[in-house]
Amino acid sequence: MIDQRRRRMLDEMGLTVWRSRGQADPTTDAARPATSAGDWAGLVASIEACQRCPLHATRQRAVPGVGDQAARLMIIGEAPGAEEDRRGEPFVGRAGQLLDAMLAAIGLDRHQDVFITNVIKSRPPENRDPTADEIAACRPWLDAQLALIQPSVILTVGKVAAQSLTGSRQPMGKLRDQWHRLGETDIPLRATYHPAYLLRRPDAKARAWDDLVTVRRALRELPA
Ligand code: URA
């Protein structure tokens, strides 16, 4: 019944994924990995010990993510900055404070209602954009987090996360204001501006607000 409601909602969002018979649906199949505290602790330890790309040599701390491991909303940014690298937690600098305020405006708290992470878990030196190789090397960790959390909705913040998770090269202005889905799954994905961009361009805040309201509505309407 819940599956039918979910399918109907996804249809309305234009996100139905058609599969051939027998093909697995990673978002609804019982064959998904069981979630346990052990799985999670092991995953975090693996991320913290990861040496899959050269960034492990320059990072102070890996930044796996923060929040509810059963969150219905997963927020995915680009990469840890200097403050995140020092504290081991994503979005704790000025941009993070704005993200927290944006979440609070739709009634969500970073520790209880969402899981926040980045496409890469180690800081690129000088805050440069992550390279395609770094993103690819880190992707198994994000995929493992997605498999354990099984979010109902994903919100990407910023161009790097949006492009890397939709596979599109379109600019942010084109990527937002429409539903995407994550890869071959039917997990709805919405793209919005990075809070660091909003700090520089407050005129874009109204559009970011529209994005958040759309995400909040989807969370309400999609069955848990
Ligand atoms: N910007 C990001 O994309 N992620 C962080 O964790 C901090 C700043």
Side-chain angles (χ1 to χ4, degrees):
M1 190 63 171
I2 282 185
D3 254 19
Q4 273 174 15
R5 245 183 78 203
R6 184 164 191 277
R7 288 267 156 244
R8 207 170 40 244
M9 269 297 299
L10 292 169
D11 269 352
E12 282 166 24
M13 294 157 93
L15 291 176
T16 306
V17 179
W18 297 103
R19 290 185 180 74
S20 51
R21 274 174 63 164
Q23 198 180 345
D25 176 347
T27 67
T28 56
D29 282 6
R32 285 181 294 195
T35 310
S36 75
D39 293 335
W40 191 265
L43 176 56
V44 170
S46 301
I47 294 172
E48 286 171 349
C50 179
Q51 300 193 354
R52 290 174 57 92
C53 83
L55 295 180
H56 77 270
T58 48
R59 72 176 175 226
Q60 289 189 54
R61 296 181 62 174
V63 182
V66 67
D68 180 4
Q69 296 153 24
R72 296 188 63 226
L73 175 62
M74 200 158 156
I75 298 179
I76 306 178
E78 177 179 323
E83 188 65 10
E84 290 77 18
D85 181 59
R86 203 172 61 74
R87 289 174 47 185
E89 182 172 333
F91 285 101
V92 287
R94 272 187 74 220
Q97 286 161 21
L98 177 57
L99 180 63
D100 286 350
M102 290 161 64
L103 290 176
I106 56 165
L108 301 177
D109 176 88
R110 74 155 51 212
H111 295 288
Q112 287 169 25
D113 307 307
V114 297
F115 188 81
I116 305 176
T117 189
N118 287 301
V119 289
I120 69 165
K121 316 299 188 201
S122 303
R123 180 190 182 209
E126 315 302 330
N127 293 342
R128 63 161 170 75
D129 282 356
T131 65
D133 282 352
E134 288 159 359
I135 293 174
C138 222
R139 183 62 193 252
W141 301 133
L142 182 61
D143 285 340
Q145 290 177 320
L146 284 158
L148 288 173
I149 296 169
Q150 300 174 24
S152 302
V153 178
I154 293 171
L155 176 68
T156 58
V157 295
K159 187 181 76 173
V160 170
Q163 289 188 339
S164 113
L165 294 181
T166 61
S168 165
R169 305 315 303 164
Q170 289 195 306
M172 198 57 233
K174 289 248 163 59
L175 286 169
R176 63 170 291 280
D177 208 20
Q178 58 177 305
W179 283 106
H180 305 268
R181 58 173 178 249
L182 177 76
E184 298 303 308
T185 76
D186 58 7
I187 303 176
L189 183 154
R190 202 84 184 173
T192 193
Y193 298 108
H194 196 287
Y197 174 79
L198 296 175
L199 287 172
R200 295 192 304 274
R201 291 287 306 269
D203 56 303
K205 280 187 183 170
R207 294 194 292 282
W209 172 246
D210 289 343
D211 298 336
L212 288 178
V213 169
T214 302
V215 164
R216 179 176 60 184
R217 192 180 319 122
L219 286 169
R220 284 188 180 151
E221 290 175 4
L222 278 167

